[in-house]
Amino acid sequence: MATPGSHNTLGERRTGWPSLDEVLQGSHELPRWIGWRLRALVGTVLLGCALFFLVAHWLSTQPHLPFALRATPEGLVKIQGVDYPPLMHLEGRVLDGLRLDRSVEGGVQTLVAPIELLSLQRSERWIIDPDLRQRHLQLHQRMGTLLQAASERNMMVSLDLLHAPDEPVLITPTGWTGLSPLFWLLGLLSIGVFGVGAVVLLAGPQWRNVAFAALALSQSGQLMFIAIENNLDLFAPAWFVQLDMQLRLVFDLVGTAALVQIAVLHPHRMAGWGWYAALAWLSAIGLWVGMNHLDTTLNWWVVQSGCLGLSIAAISLMTASFHMEPHPFTLMMRRLVVVAVLTWLLLSLAIWRGVARADMQLNITNFGVLTWQVFAAMAVLLSPYLSRSRPILQEFSLLAASSTIAASLDLLFVAVFSLGQFTSMTLSLFFSFGLYLIIRRWVMTRLPGRDSLTMERLFQRLYRIAREVERQPDALDASLMRLMRELFDPLEVALVPGDVGHTSLRGNGSVLLVPIPGWGARPAAVRHVLVLKHSHKGQRLFTSEDARLAERVMEQLYRALSFDQAVEQGRSEERLRIAQDLHDDIGARLLTLMYQAPNAEIEEYIRHTIQDLKTLTRGLAAQSHLLSEAAGEWKRDLSQRLAAARCDLDWHMFQDTDLTLTMVQWSALTRIMRELVSNAISHAKAKRVQVQLRLENDRLTLSVEDNGVGREPATWSHGLGLGGVRKRVKQLGGNVRWLEVEPKGIRCEVVIDYFSGSSGMTGTGAGTHQGGTHPGDSQFSH
């Protein structure tokens, strides 16, 4: 089977071609995203959704108070958002705890579960002080003991209010309707990040995709734990509190280590990437083993510094990778990681400085961490698409970064400068919006984008194919294969002999058959078909719209080729008519004048003119010329011209292959040689002209050198003669220059690369002006 990268000739590729039936035997086979990979992806996503709904069901059974709690700057906990009418009078009251009085042998036992500001802390991962972390765990343990006792006896608990009598309240299950909207949003985002990681891993099971899947899994787990904590509040079980701290610590270390591995593997592998990745993972494992209990403040800062160090290492490796081989994806990812790391640092400093105001520390550790995790998850979610993202997706990622910075600055202003909520939010929005305007162009100019094949470019492709086929009819198959690859990006393209009436789909859309129109020297009985399998590299099947598009493309190409063929046929007929008229009319008149010439000199001149006319009419009447035959005519023509001027011709020619010249090539070269020789005779007064014609490796070199009086070609004025030479050389896609030779004379060099494909965009035919000596040329114009 022919492959796109084959360098064999078309005739060689056709040997051993499979039949259309053999190619279609596997058309029922599904592409990679319709086979086991799709099933694995669906199974993975369904498993994630099942776990999510199991968690939601578990949360719906957890206890729930009929009101919300908020922290005050004084470190107290107040009741707000009461949704139970009999308790509306408790709005704004300070709640000290929950109490349960139960009867036991020998009297009444009172169980008290204090409610402190620390009780509202959702995760121990962001509590710096180990004593506070231990106190946080004890509060949840005591709350769990009270709830267990109340549920066993189906008893009501009492609200222990400050400066107010106790109020009985019934703690009921949350229920599905009690789950907050934030839980569903974070849960769906968690599943989305998890699904993207699974897609990337299944698309290509390789080390960089494994690292991305680990990064996606860690961010998905962070979001899921935040969603759960948002609904548990006071009633998080002690085991969940401990599990949350351990797993979120693992997620942070896994995410940063995976970031280093991605940096050394994508978009290209760095030398020694295995050592960098191994060192990152060993560092992450060492930090977890040595600091997993966070039993000292120093341990907490060591973990934060370790995550920060691994992130900085990833940034440094991305920078080194970009310097070795610049890539826009590396630049964009480095900037996103820089923003994330700076935000992480601001968040850590804000938590550290927020100790002076307990309510601010609570807001930072709860809502600040939530904002940062959402930004990190969005960066992970969008990173696989940054190389082909649309402008709206690029803007969205940039705005997400700006909003994260705004939230971090808001918390920092409140914690450090004790500003009011409105003032701090206004300042943070102002600074983040200003930063967005400043860096937007800097970031957006580096974002890559996939350039799709627009209709304008499609028509340009068709036009170029038509021109290329006009020059080289055998190039049709290869040109169409390139066009179909760019248009549909299939998993496989094959060119096979076969006869298909029109473009059609096979294998439920897994195969698209595109018949190639008959053209050129190919026999009408030999039909060929392009077989395209699985569009978009196997990510989707072909549709009827794809078939109609391919059909229209082939129709337009056939019309363009037919139009060119009709035009060329018209040109040929017109050239033949002109040649016939010149032969019958002008030739007959010249022959009469030759017999009536008053002397032998005029008779000889007319005889040469008739010979030139015969050469011209033969060239016009012929459809094509072999280079060897045309060279013989050129040599005879130039010999006669130079002999009449008593000038010698030194002719040299070499060719490694005998090409067939088109009318454009023959006409242009004929007129170039005549013009150069005419100038050597009439202006340079030369006594010898040397012509060298060489065709080697598809490179044509023409050199015409004389020993005349012409000098300083740079000072010549280019009239119609020299202008005509330049125009015809440019028409063939070549270059021309004039040089002085010693001891005297001028040499004109014409070089045409890829001569076999230099037929030009438009033909000149007989209607092209023949260069000659004109009054506008200078005295020594070559």
Side-chain angles (χ1 to χ4, degrees), residues 286-603:
L287 284 172
W288 181 78
V289 172
M291 310 292 171
N292 62 341
H293 294 296
L294 301 180
D295 48 3
T296 65
T297 303
L298 178 62
N299 286 357
W300 191 89
W301 280 110
V302 168
V303 170
Q304 295 296 100
S305 302
C307 293
L308 185 64
L310 288 173
S311 301
I312 293 175
I315 295 172
S316 302
L317 291 170
M318 290 178 186
T319 303
S321 175
F322 183 79
H323 286 320
M324 287 188 298
E325 185 176 339
H327 194 281
F329 178 85
T330 306
L331 194 61
M332 184 59 197
M333 285 304 300
R334 185 182 65 180
R335 290 171 180 171
L336 285 177
V337 175
V338 167
V339 172
V341 170
L342 290 178
T343 310
W344 171 280
L345 183 60
L346 285 175
L347 194 60
S348 301
L349 294 176
I351 292 174
W352 173 56
R353 292 292 299 168
V355 177
R357 286 190 57 180
D359 62 327
M360 282 299 99
Q361 186 179 20
L362 182 66
N363 289 334
I364 293 171
T365 53
N366 287 343
F367 301 108
V369 173
L370 167 63
T371 305
W372 186 89
Q373 291 293 351
V374 169
F375 164 72
M378 293 303 297
V380 172
L381 191 65
L382 299 178
S383 58
Y385 309 103
L386 285 177
S387 59
R388 60 183 65 185
S389 57
R390 299 290 182 182
I392 187 172
L393 190 59
Q394 300 168 356
E395 294 283 359
F396 178 76
S397 60
L398 193 56
L399 286 174
S402 301
S403 63
T404 304
I405 295 174
S408 303
L409 289 176
D410 177 31
L411 297 173
L412 190 62
F413 288 153
V414 175
V416 177
F417 303 105
S418 300
L419 299 177
Q421 191 66 41
F422 177 77
T423 305
S424 65
M425 183 171 293
T426 303
L427 288 176
S428 62
L429 288 175
F430 174 78
F431 281 117
S432 62
F433 185 68
L435 182 64
Y436 167 76
L437 294 179
I438 292 172
I439 70 172
R440 178 185 177 277
R441 178 176 292 274
W442 175 66
V443 175
M444 296 297 289
T445 53
R446 293 292 183 174
L447 274 175
R450 182 170 180 168
D451 189 12
S452 59
L453 185 62
T454 61
M455 295 308 298
E456 180 180 359
R457 292 182 57 203
L458 178 59
F459 280 116
Q460 291 177 355
R461 291 285 193 278
L462 292 176
Y463 178 77
R464 291 175 183 176
I465 290 175
R467 301 283 78 77
E468 186 176 1
V469 172
E470 182 183 0
R471 297 191 299 268
Q472 295 177 302
D474 289 340
L476 177 61
D477 297 338
S479 300
L480 283 178
M481 290 179 72
R482 289 195 300 268
L483 178 62
M484 291 296 114
R485 283 189 180 277
E486 187 171 3
L487 192 60
F488 296 109
D489 195 20
L491 194 63
E492 179 184 348
V493 178
L495 178 66
V496 298
D499 189 5
V500 178
H502 56 85
T503 302
S504 59
L505 301 174
R506 299 291 175 87
N508 294 325
S510 61
V511 172
L512 177 65
L513 301 180
V514 183
I516 296 180
W519 178 255
R522 177 180 295 168
V526 180
R527 299 290 183 181
H528 297 90
V529 180
L530 281 177
V531 181
L532 285 69
K533 294 186 177 182
H534 316 310
S535 182
H536 288 186
K537 293 295 183 186
Q539 296 182 21
R540 73 173 180 87
L541 301 178
F542 290 102
T543 65
S544 56
E545 291 294 330
D546 296 330
R548 283 193 288 270
L549 176 60
E551 186 81 20
R552 294 191 190 101
V553 168
M554 289 301 170
E555 288 178 359
Q556 293 299 325
L557 179 60
Y558 182 76
R559 290 176 183 175
L561 294 175
S562 300
F563 176 78
D564 290 343
Q565 188 178 25
V567 170
E568 184 59 32
Q569 183 178 358
R571 288 175 179 171
S572 300
E573 293 176 354
E574 184 65 15
R575 287 194 297 266
L576 184 60
R577 185 190 63 80
I578 293 173
Q580 190 68 44
D581 290 346
L582 288 174
H583 180 273
D584 296 343
D585 191 2
I586 306 300
R589 292 174 183 267
L590 289 174
L591 188 61
T592 301
L593 288 175
M594 184 183 69
Y595 289 131
Q596 296 177 357
N599 52 58
E601 183 176 354
I602 295 178
E603 179 183 352

Side-chain angles (χ1 to χ4, degrees), residues 208-220:
R208 66 180 183 182
N209 292 346
V210 170
F212 180 83
L215 178 62
L217 181 61
S218 65
Q219 294 305 316
S220 176

Side-chain angles (χ1 to χ4, degrees), residues 756-767:
S756 61
S758 64
S759 61
M761 298 301 294
T762 57
T764 55

Side-chain angles (χ1 to χ4, degrees), residues 613-628:
L613 181 61
K614 288 182 178 180
T615 301
L616 176 62
T617 54
R618 283 199 304 269
L620 290 175
Q623 292 291 332
S624 60
H625 307 261
L626 288 174
L627 178 60
S628 57

Side-chain angles (χ1 to χ4, degrees), residues 29 159 184 225 262 376 437 475 488 515 557 600 645 688 701 755:
E29 297 178 0
L159 301 179
W184 295 107
F225 271 97
I262 293 172
L437 294 179
F488 296 109
L557 179 60
R688 181 181 61 82
T701 304
F755 181 70

